[in-house]
Amino acid sequence: MTLMPFLSTLLANLLHKPVTRPYPVQPRAPFDRSRGSIGITIEDCIYCGQCMRKCPTSAIETNRAEAYWQINRLRCIQCGACVECCPKKCLQMLTGQPLPSQGGQTERFMVGVPEETHA
């Protein structure tokens, strides 16, 4: 007799569609005022290093001599300190999350060079 409650639960689960969303194929819309990731307009950056010095987790690295700006996405806590201190306002807080990748966790941006991902 204890088999009957189990069968009703089994049939109910088989006849309903899944409760979860198939991420990343169908990502969830971001909530209002949610923090997603840091974005940069690299053409406006002067590589002053203020964002690097203000970052509490040392997730940002800039190099004026080689003209690059890079961010470690796993270290970044999306606090927005770099966005607030940028003198050229080339950093912005984006609402969407970047898609998961099998590549590295560091993104490097350079003027005229497409974005590269490092391990």
Side-chain angles (χ1 to χ4, degrees), residues 3 7 16 19 40 42 48 79 89 91 96 100 108 119:
L3 191 59
L7 285 177
H16 288 44
V19 177
I40 185 169
I42 195 65
C48 62
C79 64
K89 301 300 176 201
L91 296 175
R108 181 177 286 196

Side-chain angles (χ1 to χ4, degrees), residues 30-98:
F31 297 109
D32 292 338
R33 298 176 47 132
S34 66
R35 295 178 176 179
S37 63
I38 303 296
I40 185 169
T41 308
I42 195 65
E43 293 81 18
D44 297 339
C45 185
I46 58 173
Y47 310 103
C48 62
Q50 287 188 22
C51 55
M52 179 175 65
R53 289 188 290 277
K54 287 284 185 177
C55 183
T57 60
S58 301
I60 298 174
E61 181 182 337
T62 60
N63 188 322
R64 189 175 289 200
E66 296 179 27
Y68 74 82
W69 183 92
Q70 102 180 8
I71 185 167
N72 185 324
R73 296 284 182 194
L74 293 180
R75 275 188 168 173
C76 181
I77 58 172
Q78 291 90 22
C79 64
C82 56
V83 175
E84 292 173 9
C85 77
C86 182
K88 298 298 276 181
K89 301 300 176 201
C90 61
L91 296 175
Q92 57 276 95
M93 185 70 72
L94 306 174
T95 56
Q97 292 285 341

